[in-house]
Amino acid sequence: MTRICKDGFKREFIREQREMYGIAYTQNILSGRWKYLILWFLKTKKRRYSEIKSFLDNISQGSLTKQLRELEADGIIEREVYPEVPPRVEYSLTSKGKVLIPIIDLMEEFGKKFGEKE
């Protein structure tokens, strides 16, 4: 796979491997241990940072902040800061992020079907 860290994909790869690039691009956006779960949690409504942190009980503050910043930088979520004391911050899906939800839903269905049974 041809990937150049933070700078993206080589033009040659995008041009010559267009189908594979689509998969690689999507995987790159979703890479990260918690991103799938963050998106699933945001799919129905806006959430505050503390709600997301509580939902993802085992995530460190640094990891959560990093994952949220990456999703925001990729245009998948948006962060809204309310001018209150103390400041209130809410995260929600962008229109681009909402397009990913069917993928997350398919992952959920696959896991239910083939994952461990109780």
Side-chain angles (χ1 to χ4, degrees):
M1 186 72 52
T2 305
R3 169 98 173 110
I4 307 173
C5 215
K6 65 179 171 47
D7 298 327
F9 296 90
K10 291 182 180 178
R11 289 276 164 222
E12 169 186 310
F13 175 71
I14 295 170
R15 188 177 55 256
E16 294 175 5
Q17 302 290 332
R18 192 68 187 159
E19 294 83 9
M20 188 182 297
Y21 165 72
I23 294 168
Y25 175 80
T26 305
Q27 180 203 16
N28 184 56
I29 285 179
L30 295 175
S31 67
R33 181 176 179 189
W34 305 99
K35 288 182 181 177
Y36 304 96
L37 297 174
I38 292 169
L39 294 178
W40 182 87
F41 194 57
L42 292 175
K43 80 178 185 175
T44 57
K45 65 180 186 175
K46 292 181 177 185
R47 304 285 185 158
R48 294 180 74 170
Y49 180 92
S50 59
E51 291 178 283
I52 300 168
K53 177 77 172 87
S54 293
F55 173 68
L56 302 172
D57 188 39
N58 295 327
I59 192 170
S60 70
Q61 182 174 340
S63 291
L64 177 56
T65 299
K66 181 178 184 283
Q67 300 280 282
L68 290 170
R69 284 184 182 156
E70 288 175 3
L71 288 167
E72 186 179 8
D74 286 330
I76 305 303
I77 65 170
E78 58 188 4
R79 177 179 184 262
E80 188 172 355
V81 181
Y82 295 89
E84 300 172 355
V85 178
R88 177 170 50 112
V89 178
E90 291 183 339
Y91 294 89
S92 60
L93 294 174
T94 62
S95 55
K96 183 178 177 182
K98 290 175 184 175
V99 174
L100 284 170
I101 294 305
I103 295 169
I104 302 299
D105 289 341
L106 286 171
M107 292 173 68
E108 178 184 353
E109 290 304 312
F110 181 87
K112 285 179 186 176
K113 185 172 184 176
F114 297 108
E116 278 189 37
K117 308 284 189 231
E118 287 188 61

